[in-house]
Amino acid sequence: MDLGINMEKLFVINCEEIRAKDFSQIDGVVSFLLNGKKYSYRLISKDGTQLILDSGTRVKASVSSHSNDGESTVMTMGREAIMSSGTKKTRKGAGPVGGLISPMPGKIFKILKEVGSDVKKGETILILEAMKMEHSIRSDKDGKVKKIPFKTGDLVQANVLLAEVE
Amino acid sequence: MDLGINMEKLFVINCEEIRAKDFSQIDGVVSFLLNGKKYSYRLISKDGTQLILDSGTRVKASVSSHSNDGESTVMTMGREAIMSSGTKKTRKGAGPVGGLISPMPGKIFKILKEVGSDVKKGETILILEAMKMEHSIRSDKDGKVKKIPFKTGDLVQANVLLAEVE
Amino acid sequence: MKIKKILVANRGEIALRVLKTAKEMGIKVVTVYADDDKNLPHALFADESYSLGSGTLVDTYLNKAKLIEVTKKSGADAIHPGYGFLSENEEFARMVEGAGITFIGPTPESIILMGDKIGSKKALEKIKIPLTPGYHGDDQSDETLVKEAKKIGYPVLIKASAGGGGKGMRIVHEDSELLEGIRGAKSEGLKSFSSDKVLIEKYVLNPRHIEVQLMSDTHGNHLHFFERECSIQRRYQKVIEETPAPNMNQELRLKICETAVEIARGINYRGAGTVEFIMSQDGNYYFMEMNTRLQVEHPVTEMVTGHDLVRYQILVAEGGKLPLKQTDIKQKGQAIECRIYAEDPDNNFMPTIGRIERIGAPTLRDVRLDCGFLDGTDVGVNYDPMLAKLVVWGEDRPLAISKTIQSLDDVLFLGVKTNRDYLKRILGHKDFIAGHTHTHFIPDHKNELGPKNLSDEEMAAMIGAFSFAGKITAKGTESIQLITPWTSLHGFRN
Amino acid sequence: MKIKKILVANRGEIALRVLKTAKEMGIKVVTVYADDDKNLPHALFADESYSLGSGTLVDTYLNKAKLIEVTKKSGADAIHPGYGFLSENEEFARMVEGAGITFIGPTPESIILMGDKIGSKKALEKIKIPLTPGYHGDDQSDETLVKEAKKIGYPVLIKASAGGGGKGMRIVHEDSELLEGIRGAKSEGLKSFSSDKVLIEKYVLNPRHIEVQLMSDTHGNHLHFFERECSIQRRYQKVIEETPAPNMNQELRLKICETAVEIARGINYRGAGTVEFIMSQDGNYYFMEMNTRLQVEHPVTEMVTGHDLVRYQILVAEGGKLPLKQTDIKQKGQAIECRIYAEDPDNNFMPTIGRIERIGAPTLRDVRLDCGFLDGTDVGVNYDPMLAKLVVWGEDRPLAISKTIQSLDDVLFLGVKTNRDYLKRILGHKDFIAGHTHTHFIPDHKNELGPKNLSDEEMAAMIGAFSFAGKITAKGTESIQLITPWTSLHGFRN
């Protein structure tokens, strides 16, 4: 990771692309320009995920190990963010567009509507159980149930399509 | 380390040789006879140097990484010991026989007697500085200084010969 | 009769909490664990620990017969139920005592009485304890419930009679929501507490949640350990608790505490209990419910009074006399508890899951992190999302607030998003600092509690840290603990 | 005038102690470090940290000019000297104030007065403070010292006048040891404190070391924070300290505390100070010395009174008024401090060195480990062998003792032999439990404090642990933190 001078380096912090100009990392010192201002950090200590940097004052930071998609949680100065380098856009909790999305990880507790049946706006299609609570998944429009990709008892992740109404 | 049955295995605990009979270690369970009584421990968890065993009740233990000579510090049930396996005798703090031995690690602060000079019992031969204190190293008999293997300012380990009087 | 070995019929931080006091008292502790909890500290650090197998809660931590079987097998002579789970289950308490085991908790009669939200109010009405207007009747027909709700007037609160902790609760603002509210509360009540009985109450505007810690022995001594302010809640889940309650004069404080003691005396209570009151902004208070167990938030009381509530629970269960008088109990300084939840407050409080790579430890004095996890363990969906409780004592309230805010930066759960930053926003809010607390604090201040954008300074520091951390190649939970001897730093800045 | 940034002219746990309170108060902290300390937490965790280079103490932590230079450079407006090092150095205090920097400590005049063991007694004699018989004269000729020692009668104590902490001290029992004792004390005094002036005192039999914590502001307020019992010593080094002192009635307690306050008032003292008394078994007490700084053992006082002494030091240095009255200071419960030394008590207390592979954390409530090391750092011969202070609070003395014994098993320093087991033997000794403390406790009970042989049970557990640990192949400080999923344990014991 020792890089020459005059590099521009792209970081993604909480889904936002941040360009660090004149980026260099030599002899335990990283420096760059951010929005026209120069920043420089010297590495003082690294203990697993815990780092101490110095930029005039000491800065403590925690950086999680990279997950599979190159993202890390970075915590410093009391703030926390999901971060990666390169152009890859980090995901956000919004999920796919259209359809009814699981609000959290959980288990399909009960399916009240069959595929093909009519539903009214606000009617409950299925019930998700998570954290010992029941969550009704309701239709957002009048229509017909097109798809329910799970069966009762299935475990589902957050942000997953639970039902489609057309 | 999976061993068959009917093995005798030798451990050295605080310089004492301890023989564990019928020693076996299979599937996360170690069992053996010690002084005629059967002991059996199942490994529940290992986190670096920290272990949890189960022998009916849980036993927490800490074992330091082996040093070069195969010795570890083992701490369990509130007790601590230096331990190794095999026949090698662990050292004890006594040091070599005869001569004047450094009681602790330190620095030669001052040498008061030259090699070849006469000394009386109780007379100070040299002064060791350690932990910001001065420690007089005194002759244990009347005689002549035969050997002083260090010079002023030298750093010395504990249990090292500092002077010999004959 | 001295207790020699306690089985803790619970998990996580509360199992460890009981373990600590038992250890201090020289009492052995047996813990139990569902198999998916086998790497958690409560399954590791007791004197003995037994698997409850796998399956739903009913198969494991709520499996009464199995818990009693394990108690017998281990030779434990007492059961501590912790909070939640079977702590307020009368049948379990009876089974335990029937098996000749000491139940560290109240009598089954007290559990029945207070577990029934309707019956408890009827009983307390007789001894002149102030109650909020509501319907607590046995007629549970939709027709009657609808009629009573309308009589009380919206908004009303519909609650599972046996419930607690936000489960089986619905607020209804208008007719159209009423039937679904009643059915939801009934269904969750049935599922969580095996009873679909509900009650309806007037929903008081801007109320404070004030509760009083009680401890009673079997020799007629009923003591209070002062109040706790628990108004900072989200969807009936407490988020921040503290003691003493801010903006409460000493006269009102003593009055509400004495009302709670009257309840304990009136029902001849035994052990630790908490009376929860709704308090209006002008200081009127109404009995809400009594929790017949240790509360999650008991540590703030311990820090401010200097008394160990678990120890007194055990002494009382042994039949002993409480070794103190009411005048020996004093409040000193201020204590604040923050519940650290695995959730993303900036994304609709969606629960989060994952592997905790590292749990940061508090660095300031008089700060406790009661936590049921270890580095490398997983947070899943099967249990409560509360990861830990940060409990902070300070000489006064401003100091306690400032220490709590700073300590929240210490107790990072690296790898799992928590409400850490959100808690800091609440604690730093001017109305919280002024002690203007009420149970609608969080919804009322929703906009001011939103996330703040990262400054250039903060992003720059993140880029710096991320750049050096890039050399970490290890995956998962592996962590190389090594102070690197940066030779280039020898003459650093000098 | 508010202090904004403090430079701590010290190392190890006391530098971290000051850091914590400053952090709570929103004050920035600058630390300094000798290069061989660069991996220790005091060199890592401050807001700013500067190297003092390498060399002897005089080049680094005792380098007055450099410390002031770094203070100026960093923009700090105050210096906290900690304990030891330059904390009682009048010249340094003057240099600091001369440079326009606030010295968080007493006036140079108080340091001179109390630093001179002879002059201080002369001054206190005038205000009728009780003193032990002794020679405190200016005539330091061998002839006079020998004559005075004989006049007082053996055993006598020869002490460097400017000394403390066992350095520059000799007990002499007979004529033949006298001259060497005088010379030894003079030489160590010269080396450690730049003065070879000594004093001679009667050596009192079976005395107790009782000291009183004081805090004075610059507005005429002189408060005490009660006493500490520090009799458990080895070669004048305190080993275990506690408060309240056992076996002391309330009348005597208040009397000795008030005597200490008279001293503070009499010399118009400023800041934190401690008056040390020798107390005979029948309750007579004599002024021994006054330490014009924070003591190592100050945390026991903080735990029992609930007050932050460092915070008051800073408030006083700012010119503020102490925000409390004497009647606000009360003792609650019992606190015990154990000093964990790198030494082998079963081998003549030989100092030990090495790399600390892992430092165990306390697990019980109200237990503090004040420690200046991290996992993976080295213990060498250059500094004091005190690795950490274990400080434990309990509701009463028996509970505090039992919690301390248990906590000593938690705070293992894996890789470096410590006096941990030895401390447990003292705490478990029947005379300690009975509160029969005096400064000869350790030599008098030498035989009963020896090591106990390992039982078969203990050896078997060691064999079990060692056998599984045998699979650890990593060397040095590497530590793989991984919960191993032992599939064979799924149905374990159920």
Side-chain angles (χ1 to χ4, degrees):
Chain A
M1 281 259 259
D2 281 16
L3 301 162
I5 295 285
N6 296 327
M7 278 275 303
E8 180 177 289
K9 210 164 147 60
L10 179 70
F11 295 93
V12 181
I13 303 180
N14 282 347
C15 300
E16 210 186 323
E17 296 195 348
I18 306 293
R19 276 157 217 285
K21 296 198 172 132
D22 289 359
F23 186 94
S24 79
Q25 185 168 8
I26 299 164
D27 283 347
V29 177
V30 62
S31 49
F32 52 86
L33 284 171
L34 185 67
N35 293 333
K37 200 179 155 195
K38 170 141 195 196
Y39 294 89
S40 178
Y41 299 90
R42 183 186 287 271
L43 181 61
I44 299 296
S45 143
K46 185 155 100 173
D47 180 5
T49 55
Q50 305 305 106
L51 298 114
I52 298 173
L53 312 179
D54 195 296
S55 66
T57 65
R58 293 289 170 93
V59 178
K60 278 146 232 134
S62 299
V63 183
S64 68
S65 306
H66 289 312
S67 61
N68 289 334
D69 45 9
E71 287 182 346
S72 290
T73 304
V74 180
M75 192 278 208
T76 188
M77 299 175 81
R79 304 303 300 273
E80 222 170 301
I82 302 289
M83 193 165 172
S84 61
S85 60
T87 52
K88 200 165 160 294
K89 194 93 174 151
T90 21
R91 71 184 133 70
K92 199 156 182 175
V97 179
L100 300 166
I101 306 303
S102 57
M104 63 190 77
K107 195 160 93 175
I108 306 293
F109 175 62
K110 211 171 195 172
I111 297 176
L112 303 174
K113 294 282 172 187
E114 282 171 47
V115 172
S117 61
D118 291 330
V119 285
K120 288 203 171 121
K121 182 176 170 180
E123 227 182 331
T124 301
I125 298 174
L126 56 82
I127 297 172
L128 184 72
E129 189 190 357
M131 305 285 178
K132 296 186 287 174
M133 302 272 283
E134 294 173 20
H135 303 268
S136 300
I137 305 297
R138 294 164 198 210
S139 183
D140 52 351
K141 57 186 167 206
D142 293 349
K144 206 185 270 292
V145 177
K146 190 186 164 192
K147 195 173 168 186
I148 302 180
F150 296 103
K151 61 180 194 301
T152 303
D154 279 357
L155 291 169
V156 298
Q157 287 294 322
N159 291 321
V160 162
L161 183 84
L162 295 180
E164 228 177 302
V165 176
E166 61 174 8
Chain B
M1 279 257 261
D2 281 14
L3 299 163
I5 295 287
N6 296 328
M7 277 276 302
E8 179 176 290
K9 208 163 147 60
L10 180 69
F11 296 91
V12 182
I13 303 180
N14 282 347
C15 302
E16 210 186 323
E17 297 195 345
I18 306 292
R19 276 157 217 285
K21 296 199 172 131
D22 288 0
F23 186 94
S24 79
Q25 184 169 7
I26 299 164
D27 283 347
V29 178
V30 63
S31 49
F32 53 85
L33 285 172
L34 184 67
N35 293 332
K37 200 177 155 194
K38 170 138 193 197
Y39 295 89
S40 178
Y41 299 90
R42 183 186 287 271
L43 181 61
I44 300 298
S45 142
K46 185 155 101 173
D47 180 6
T49 54
Q50 304 306 106
L51 297 112
I52 298 174
L53 312 179
D54 194 296
S55 66
T57 64
R58 294 288 170 94
V59 179
K60 280 145 230 135
S62 299
V63 183
S64 68
S65 307
H66 289 312
S67 61
N68 289 335
D69 45 9
E71 287 183 346
S72 290
T73 304
V74 181
M75 192 278 208
T76 189
M77 299 174 81
R79 304 302 301 274
E80 223 171 299
I82 302 289
M83 193 165 171
S84 62
S85 62
T87 51
K88 201 165 158 296
K89 194 93 174 149
T90 23
R91 70 184 134 70
K92 196 152 183 177
V97 178
L100 300 166
I101 305 304
S102 58
M104 64 190 77
K107 194 160 95 173
I108 306 292
F109 176 63
K110 211 171 195 173
I111 297 177
L112 303 173
K113 293 283 171 186
E114 282 170 46
V115 171
S117 60
D118 291 330
V119 285
K120 287 203 171 120
K121 182 175 171 181
E123 227 182 333
T124 301
I125 297 174
L126 57 81
I127 297 171
L128 184 72
E129 189 190 356
M131 307 285 179
K132 296 186 287 174
M133 303 270 285
E134 295 172 20
H135 303 268
S136 300
I137 305 297
R138 293 165 200 210
S139 183
D140 53 352
K141 57 188 166 204
D142 293 348
K144 206 186 269 293
V145 178
K146 191 186 163 192
K147 196 173 166 185
I148 301 179
F150 296 101
K151 62 181 192 302
T152 304
D154 280 356
L155 291 168
V156 298
Q157 287 293 322
N159 291 322
V160 162
L161 183 84
L162 294 179
E164 228 178 303
V165 176
E166 60 173 10
Chain C
M1 180 207 47
K2 289 279 170 204
I3 290 170
K4 292 194 183 66
K5 198 190 260 193
I6 294 173
L7 181 132
V8 187
N10 217 301
R11 68 187 289 279
E13 66 89 15
I14 191 61
L16 297 172
R17 170 67 192 87
V18 175
L19 175 59
K20 284 176 193 190
T21 287
K23 195 177 163 191
E24 284 176 30
M25 295 174 76
I27 297 171
K28 298 280 176 200
V29 172
V30 181
T31 56
V32 289
Y33 57 94
D35 286 346
D36 54 359
D37 276 352
K38 70 176 188 303
N39 291 331
L40 295 191
H42 76 274
L44 295 175
F45 298 138
D47 296 296
E48 296 172 46
S49 205
Y50 296 86
S51 166
L52 296 170
S54 57
T56 66
L57 281 178
V58 174
D59 300 316
T60 57
Y61 294 106
L62 297 179
N63 190 333
K64 303 179 187 114
K66 194 169 216 169
L67 287 165
I68 288 172
E69 182 199 318
V70 173
T71 308
K72 288 277 182 198
K73 186 166 141 188
S74 68
D77 47 10
I79 288 183
H80 194 299
Y83 53 69
F85 290 158
L86 297 168
S87 60
E88 294 176 293
N89 186 300
E90 164 266 335
E91 191 193 340
F92 183 60
R94 266 193 220 290
M95 282 171 74
V96 169
E97 303 209 325
I101 301 162
T102 301
F103 182 73
I104 303 176
T107 59
E109 292 70 30
S110 294
I111 298 178
I112 295 179
L113 179 64
M114 289 299 169
D116 181 347
K117 302 282 172 278
I118 299 169
S120 63
K121 296 201 176 175
K122 280 190 188 153
L124 295 184
E125 216 160 13
K126 288 183 200 148
I127 57 168
K128 314 250 181 267
I129 303 296
L131 303 174
T132 40
Y135 173 72
H136 311 141
D138 285 331
D139 182 351
Q140 293 280 306
S141 67
D142 282 359
E143 201 188 337
T144 303
L145 293 173
V146 165
K147 196 189 72 192
E148 291 290 340
K150 288 181 178 175
K151 198 164 80 188
I152 293 164
Y154 297 111
V156 295
L157 190 62
I158 304 171
K159 288 204 281 194
S161 180
K167 272 140 218 143
M169 279 198 184
R170 294 286 189 281
I171 304 176
V172 172
H173 295 85
E174 51 173 74
D175 284 354
S176 70
E177 303 169 348
L178 187 56
L179 265 179
E180 191 180 349
I182 290 170
R183 282 169 193 159
K186 282 188 168 184
S187 153
E188 278 181 22
L190 192 62
K191 188 135 168 304
S192 299
F193 318 106
S194 311
S195 160
D196 67 352
K197 194 169 176 185
V198 297
L199 56 85
I200 308 177
E201 272 177 6
K202 175 76 181 169
Y203 186 64
V204 181
L205 287 173
N206 278 356
R208 293 178 73 177
H209 174 121
I210 303 287
E211 61 184 34
V212 177
Q213 176 67 53
L214 297 171
M215 183 69 69
S216 303
D217 65 19
T218 50
H219 304 273
N221 298 301
H222 302 279
L223 303 177
H224 72 79
F225 288 72
F226 292 98
E227 86 291 1
R228 290 184 289 258
E229 151 65 64
C230 309
S231 299
I232 307 299
Q233 307 184 348
R234 202 185 69 83
R235 300 176 71 188
Y236 301 104
Q237 282 286 2
K238 294 167 187 162
V239 176
I240 295 175
E241 302 101 340
E242 63 180 312
T243 184
N247 296 335
M248 179 183 278
N249 65 48
Q250 196 62 13
E251 194 189 346
L252 178 56
R253 169 168 296 126
L254 292 177
K255 193 175 149 213
I256 195 169
C257 291
E258 275 153 26
T259 302
V261 170
E262 274 170 44
I263 294 172
R265 190 175 292 118
I267 65 169
N268 195 22
Y269 191 70
R270 176 182 84 189
T274 294
V275 177
E276 298 187 340
F277 295 98
I278 289 181
M279 181 179 277
S280 66
Q281 290 293 323
D282 56 0
N284 289 313
Y285 57 86
Y286 311 104
F287 172 82
M288 191 159 40
E289 63 179 43
M290 178 168 182
N291 295 317
T292 56
R293 52 163 166 90
L294 203 65
Q295 301 277 92
V296 174
E297 59 271 26
H298 76 277
V300 292
T301 299
E302 294 187 324
M303 277 196 159
V304 158
T305 65
H307 293 282
D308 180 341
L309 296 171
V310 175
R311 185 164 164 240
Y312 293 146
Q313 283 192 298
I314 294 170
L315 291 178
V316 167
E318 286 174 338
K321 231 170 151 164
L322 284 168
L324 72 169
K325 299 186 300 288
Q326 187 62 57
T327 48
D328 296 329
I329 306 167
K330 295 191 178 75
Q331 295 178 302
K332 176 162 178 58
Q334 187 81 20
I336 298 176
E337 174 180 283
C338 291
R339 299 193 188 190
I340 298 178
Y341 289 113
E343 65 183 17
D344 184 356
D346 303 327
N347 189 12
N348 270 316
F349 295 90
M350 186 191 287
T352 54
I353 55 171
R355 175 160 292 185
I356 304 170
E357 191 170 350
R358 184 176 177 280
I359 302 169
T363 61
L364 296 181
R365 302 171 322 126
D366 302 317
V367 179
R368 225 166 106 174
L369 185 73
D370 282 11
C371 175
F373 293 85
L374 292 174
D375 290 2
T377 54
D378 293 322
V379 177
V381 296
N382 291 334
Y383 301 103
D384 197 82
M386 191 180 81
L387 296 183
K389 307 180 320 200
L390 177 71
V391 196
V392 176
W393 183 89
E395 288 170 51
D396 55 31
R397 192 167 183 269
L399 198 60
I401 292 174
S402 125
K403 285 176 70 171
T404 307
I405 291 174
Q406 294 183 61
S407 296
L408 280 164
D409 283 345
D410 288 332
V411 298
L412 184 67
F413 284 72
L414 198 64
V416 177
K417 173 88 184 161
T418 67
N419 62 337
R420 208 180 49 77
D421 195 62
Y422 185 74
L423 290 165
K424 282 162 63 183
R425 294 175 219 155
I426 297 174
L427 291 160
H429 192 285
K430 65 179 185 345
D431 283 1
F432 183 87
I433 290 167
H436 295 147
T437 48
H438 57 81
T439 58
H440 303 160
F441 185 95
I442 286 180
D444 284 4
H445 297 294
K446 191 165 186 270
N447 292 334
E448 301 121 84
L449 296 176
K452 224 177 59 185
N453 283 337
L454 292 171
S455 68
D456 278 7
E457 221 78 44
E458 288 163 347
M459 283 196 289
M462 285 178 176
I463 290 172
F466 185 83
S467 301
F468 289 116
K471 292 179 184 171
I472 298 175
T473 52
K475 299 258 189 279
T477 61
E478 189 179 34
S479 143
I480 310 296
Q481 296 199 328
L482 187 71
I483 304 290
T484 318
W486 296 96
T487 45
S488 65
L489 299 179
H490 262 293
F492 172 61
R493 304 193 66 193
N494 189 52
Chain D
M1 181 207 49
K2 290 280 172 204
I3 289 170
K4 292 195 183 64
K5 198 190 261 192
I6 294 173
L7 180 133
V8 187
N10 216 301
R11 68 187 291 278
E13 67 88 16
I14 191 62
L16 297 172
R17 170 68 191 86
V18 174
L19 175 59
K20 284 177 193 190
T21 288
K23 196 177 161 190
E24 286 176 29
M25 296 176 76
I27 297 171
K28 299 278 176 200
V29 172
V30 181
T31 55
V32 289
Y33 57 94
D35 286 347
D36 54 359
D37 276 351
K38 71 176 187 303
N39 291 330
L40 294 191
H42 75 275
L44 296 175
F45 298 138
D47 295 295
E48 297 173 45
S49 204
Y50 296 86
S51 165
L52 295 169
S54 57
T56 66
L57 281 178
V58 174
D59 300 316
T60 56
Y61 294 106
L62 298 179
N63 191 334
K64 302 177 189 118
K66 195 169 216 168
L67 287 164
I68 288 172
E69 183 198 317
V70 173
T71 307
K72 288 277 181 197
K73 186 166 140 189
S74 68
D77 47 11
I79 289 183
H80 194 300
Y83 53 68
F85 289 160
L86 296 169
S87 60
E88 295 176 293
N89 186 300
E90 164 265 336
E91 190 193 341
F92 183 60
R94 265 192 219 290
M95 281 171 74
V96 169
E97 304 210 323
I101 301 162
T102 300
F103 183 72
I104 303 176
T107 60
E109 292 70 29
S110 293
I111 298 178
I112 295 180
L113 178 64
M114 288 301 168
D116 181 346
K117 303 281 172 280
I118 300 168
S120 63
K121 295 201 175 173
K122 278 189 189 153
L124 296 183
E125 214 160 13
K126 287 183 201 149
I127 57 168
K128 315 252 181 265
I129 303 297
L131 303 174
T132 40
Y135 174 71
H136 311 141
D138 286 331
D139 182 350
Q140 293 279 307
S141 68
D142 281 359
E143 200 189 335
T144 302
L145 292 172
V146 165
K147 196 188 75 192
E148 291 291 339
K150 288 182 179 175
K151 197 163 84 189
I152 293 163
Y154 296 111
V156 295
L157 190 62
I158 304 171
K159 289 204 280 196
S161 181
K167 271 141 217 143
M169 278 197 185
R170 293 287 188 281
I171 305 175
V172 171
H173 295 87
E174 50 174 75
D175 284 353
S176 70
E177 303 168 349
L178 186 55
L179 266 179
E180 191 181 349
I182 291 170
R183 282 168 193 159
K186 283 188 166 184
S187 153
E188 278 180 22
L190 192 61
K191 190 137 165 302
S192 299
F193 319 105
S194 312
S195 161
D196 68 350
K197 194 170 176 183
V198 298
L199 56 84
I200 307 176
E201 272 179 5
K202 175 77 183 172
Y203 185 65
V204 181
L205 287 172
N206 278 356
R208 293 177 73 176
H209 174 121
I210 304 288
E211 60 184 35
V212 177
Q213 176 67 52
L214 297 171
M215 184 70 69
S216 303
D217 64 18
T218 50
H219 304 273
N221 297 301
H222 301 278
L223 304 176
H224 71 80
F225 289 72
F226 292 99
E227 85 291 2
R228 290 184 289 258
E229 152 65 64
C230 309
S231 300
I232 308 299
Q233 306 185 346
R234 201 185 70 82
R235 299 176 73 188
Y236 301 105
Q237 282 285 5
K238 294 166 187 164
V239 177
I240 296 175
E241 302 101 339
E242 63 180 312
T243 185
N247 296 335
M248 179 184 277
N249 65 49
Q250 197 61 13
E251 193 189 347
L252 178 56
R253 170 172 319 197
L254 292 177
K255 193 175 150 214
I256 195 169
C257 290
E258 276 153 24
T259 302
V261 170
E262 274 169 45
I263 293 172
R265 189 174 293 116
I267 65 169
N268 195 22
Y269 192 69
R270 175 182 86 189
T274 295
V275 176
E276 298 187 339
F277 294 98
I278 289 180
M279 181 180 276
S280 67
Q281 290 293 323
D282 55 0
N284 289 313
Y285 57 86
Y286 312 103
F287 172 81
M288 192 161 37
E289 63 178 42
M290 178 168 182
N291 295 317
T292 56
R293 51 161 167 92
L294 204 64
Q295 300 278 91
V296 174
E297 60 271 24
H298 76 277
V300 292
T301 298
E302 294 186 324
M303 279 198 157
V304 159
T305 64
H307 293 281
D308 181 341
L309 296 171
V310 175
R311 185 165 164 240
Y312 293 146
Q313 282 191 299
I314 294 170
L315 291 178
V316 167
E318 287 174 335
K321 232 171 151 166
L322 284 169
L324 73 169
K325 299 185 300 289
Q326 188 63 57
T327 48
D328 296 328
I329 306 168
K330 295 192 178 76
Q331 294 178 302
K332 176 160 177 61
Q334 188 80 20
I336 298 176
E337 172 180 286
C338 290
R339 300 193 187 190
I340 298 178
Y341 288 114
E343 64 183 18
D344 184 355
D346 303 326
N347 189 12
N348 269 317
F349 296 90
M350 188 193 285
T352 54
I353 55 171
R355 175 160 292 185
I356 304 170
E357 191 168 351
R358 183 177 178 280
I359 303 170
T363 61
L364 296 181
R365 302 171 322 127
D366 303 317
V367 179
R368 224 166 108 173
L369 185 73
D370 282 11
C371 175
F373 293 85
L374 292 173
D375 292 0
T377 55
D378 293 320
V379 177
V381 296
N382 291 335
Y383 301 103
D384 197 82
M386 190 179 82
L387 296 183
K389 308 181 316 200
L390 176 71
V391 196
V392 176
W393 182 89
E395 288 171 49
D396 55 32
R397 193 168 184 268
L399 198 61
I401 291 174
S402 123
K403 285 176 71 171
T404 308
I405 291 174
Q406 293 182 62
S407 296
L408 280 164
D409 283 345
D410 288 332
V411 297
L412 184 67
F413 284 73
L414 199 64
V416 176
K417 172 89 185 160
T418 67
N419 62 336
R420 208 180 48 78
D421 195 63
Y422 184 75
L423 290 165
K424 282 162 62 184
R425 294 175 218 155
I426 297 174
L427 290 160
H429 192 284
K430 65 179 186 346
D431 283 1
F432 183 85
I433 291 167
H436 295 147
T437 49
H438 56 81
T439 58
H440 303 159
F441 185 94
I442 285 180
D444 284 4
H445 296 294
K446 191 165 186 271
N447 292 334
E448 301 120 83
L449 296 176
K452 225 176 60 187
N453 282 338
L454 293 170
S455 68
D456 277 7
E457 221 78 44
E458 289 163 347
M459 282 196 290
M462 284 178 176
I463 290 172
F466 184 84
S467 301
F468 289 116
K471 292 178 184 171
I472 299 175
T473 52
K475 299 258 190 278
T477 60
E478 189 179 34
S479 144
I480 311 296
Q481 295 199 330
L482 188 70
I483 303 291
T484 318
W486 295 96
T487 46
S488 65
L489 298 180
H490 262 291
F492 173 59
R493 302 193 68 191
N494 190 52

